[in-house]
Amino acid sequence: MAAQPLSRICWLLRSSARGCSSGVPGTQPSPREPSRPATEELSRRRQFLREHAAPFSAFLTDSFGRQHSYLRISLTEKCNLRCQYCMPEEGVPLTPKADLLTTEEILTLARLFVKQGVDKIRLTGGEPLIRRDVVDIVAQLHQLEGLKTIAVTTNGINLARLLPSLQKAGLNALNISLDTLVPAKFEFIVRRKGFHRVMEGIHKAIELGYNPVKVNCVVMRGLNEDELLNFVALTEGLPLDVRFIEYMPFDGNKWNFKKMVSYKEMVDTIRQRWPELEKLPEEKSSTAKAFRIPGFQGQISFITSMSEHFCGSCNRLRITADGNLKVCLFGNSEVSLRDHLRAGASEEELLTIIGAAVGRKKRQHAGMFNIAQMKNRPMILIGLFLMLQDSLPASPVVTSWGPVPARGRRPRLLLSRPMATLWKEHWAPQAPPLSWLWLGAGSPLRLYSSRADLDTTSTCLSPGPRAPATASGPWATSDQLTHVDSEGRAAMVDVGRKPDTDREAVASAVVLLGPVAFELVQHNQLKKGDALGVAQLAGVQAAKLTSQLIPLCHHVALSHIQVQLRLDPSRHAVVIWASCRARGPTGVEMEALTSAAVAALTLYDMCKAVSRDIEIGEIKLVSKTGGQRGDFHRV
């Protein structure tokens, strides 16, 4: 096993060392005295901590009692790879060198955080090992009293050459990004050669005694989820901690739910091969759920940021290469420590600014679907802890990757038929209508989505180009009405003799709010409350109650409901997509249409006090699958 490769989508996990942040420069406040509310909040937290004798810095303790002892510092925005999930295909605008933190500024901030209780620093990028003075930085960090761990997250390309010097300088932990064990797939993912250099770096780390050597693997459906068992097998004879990371959204990576393989799905897959897989006790503030197969030298872990967040025990802060402090990986608010540092701020002033930022940290991130629509840096520009970034191919992957092609082996379609069709319809490369340019335009977006089950293969829909409707199947269309009897009276269709099949339907609607109401909804400032959140819940509830609202509809036991609301700034509109799924003798088109329509009506009700000039339109069936009459798709 020792000779087997471990390729990780380098950037993805290196996210463990990298971070993601929006390619747009973060808010850079000019140096000034902290605002009175920020000072009062900090004083309130200090008083709370004094009363409760909290043995940790008030500046690094948030209002929920979380103590931030772990700091990630991005040394550079540059990288020697071009990973598809980490760097957008068109590249990212790099910050001018003069605006990046200097070595002395990095060390100044590190000293300040360590004095306040930080005992672990991870160096990230970009790729941190392309910075020429990285060994010197590690050596100087090693001199800081109280700092227990100096770690690095790397893509491994330069690791074998630099690791002996880094180890002597004081590096005592490392994560290596590797998303595939197939050399050809490695080149496809990172757009560069280097698989064998990464493997050399992993074996050099083992040779030098690092135990465990953490290997970060971002798992993406249709790309590398078929390698799960191969990665696990590596831990049998090597002291590795292979960390499987759920695919996460960052600016530019065109995230959608169907690419994400959840923690539970991965565990189920591995247990089919190794039923003896056992869970290990979780460490305090750990981001990973660790498992081990009895008799194996190493272990595996799962980073469940999407399906089971660990915000409640988060102890991490991040400093980007341009000197911005991020208190949450998925948050888009930043404060420039660089600007205050260069303006001559004292240590106490810097701590007050840091404390105010930490105090604003929220209880938890917004959830996977909301995060996907938030403006944040691309991963290459953050230096985050475990995430992945840029885009996968815009068309479905239908070929099975493998070290050795099997004779006569047919390409394996990794998406279900309805999902593949939806991918083709809504994600295939084509010129989108102007109404959808917001998808990458940088306008703040909010997305609400709800699922009624835990099916990890559910489709996360994105609106796509409008086109004529098509249908397939021997009964694709009918010239007879089905809800009337022979005498023309309304009647319910008898479905008792129809076979049970998997049914899925998607419907959409558009609510034109106008500029005033749109602005209030966009910033969640309506007096009635969160219009998008209420409308999303109304759409879910409406789908469940369709048979009570539409007299001739059969009651359907829905297994899946998903409602999404997306802001379209170009039209001052909210676009609603509703997806319903069930197994039974009748379809779920009415459930999807009812869901979209009621969500639209709820938005109208929430906003009518602001404007009566609101229009609801474009309510239509987007697609349906299953049933005797065949599939229908608006293509």
Side-chain angles (χ1 to χ4, degrees), residues 61-121:
T61 303
D62 66 18
S63 55
F64 303 101
R66 292 173 296 199
Q67 300 173 347
H68 296 78
S69 59
Y70 187 174
L71 178 66
R72 307 176 197 277
I73 303 176
S74 174
L75 297 185
T76 179
E77 296 176 346
K78 295 180 179 180
C79 183
N80 47 3
L81 296 181
R82 292 293 181 269
C83 298
Q84 294 191 39
Y85 55 83
C86 179
M87 184 177 291
E89 186 173 357
E90 67 275 13
V92 295
L94 296 177
T95 304
K97 184 176 181 180
D99 293 334
L100 298 175
L101 290 177
T102 65
T103 300
E104 186 53 42
E105 288 170 337
I106 289 172
L107 295 171
T108 296
L109 291 175
R111 291 188 196 101
L112 184 61
F113 278 89
V114 171
K115 284 174 64 177
Q116 295 302 312
V118 164
D119 59 14
K120 180 176 181 178
I121 290 180

Side-chain angles (χ1 to χ4, degrees), residues 247 545 588:
Y247 178 47
L545 299 175
V588 290

Side-chain angles (χ1 to χ4, degrees), residues 564-631:
Q564 297 182 356
L565 296 93
R566 300 191 179 191
L567 300 178
D568 181 359
S570 66
R571 295 190 291 174
H572 298 118
V574 176
V575 181
I576 301 166
W577 286 70
S579 170
C580 295
R581 186 166 67 236
R583 181 171 181 81
T586 185
V588 290
E589 300 98 305
M590 291 308 301
E591 283 72 11
L593 285 164
T594 302
S595 176
V598 171
L601 288 170
T602 303
L603 270 178
Y604 185 100
D605 179 62
M606 295 287 287
C607 300
K608 67 180 187 293
V610 177
S611 171
R612 296 302 176 104
D613 190 23
I614 300 173
E615 297 180 26
I616 298 176
E618 301 182 39
I619 300 176
K620 58 180 180 284
L621 182 68
V622 176
S623 69
K624 86 168 198 67
T625 59
Q628 292 181 336
R629 295 188 179 278
D631 297 349

Side-chain angles (χ1 to χ4, degrees), residues 477-486 488-491 493 552 629:
T477 59
S478 173
D479 57 2
Q480 296 181 349
L481 296 176
T482 58
H483 284 75
V484 294
D485 61 16
S486 60
R489 294 173 299 191
V493 174
L552 300 182
R629 295 188 179 278

Side-chain angles (χ1 to χ4, degrees), residues 405-483:
R407 177 175 299 180
R409 188 174 182 180
R410 300 176 60 186
R412 177 163 59 88
L413 185 64
L414 298 176
L415 303 177
S416 64
R417 182 173 63 177
M419 289 176 68
T421 303
L422 286 167
W423 180 304
K424 178 180 179 181
E425 292 173 7
H426 301 300
W427 287 280
Q430 49 195 309
L434 290 176
S435 61
W436 298 117
L437 291 183
W438 55 266
L439 282 172
S443 299
L445 297 174
R446 299 167 66 207
L447 167 64
Y448 289 76
S449 177
S450 175
R451 300 190 308 136
D453 67 345
L454 295 177
D455 184 348
T456 57
T457 63
S458 324
T459 307
C460 179
L461 299 170
S462 294
R466 301 172 60 184
T470 63
S472 61
W475 300 279
T477 59
S478 173
D479 57 2
Q480 296 181 349
L481 296 176
T482 58
H483 284 75

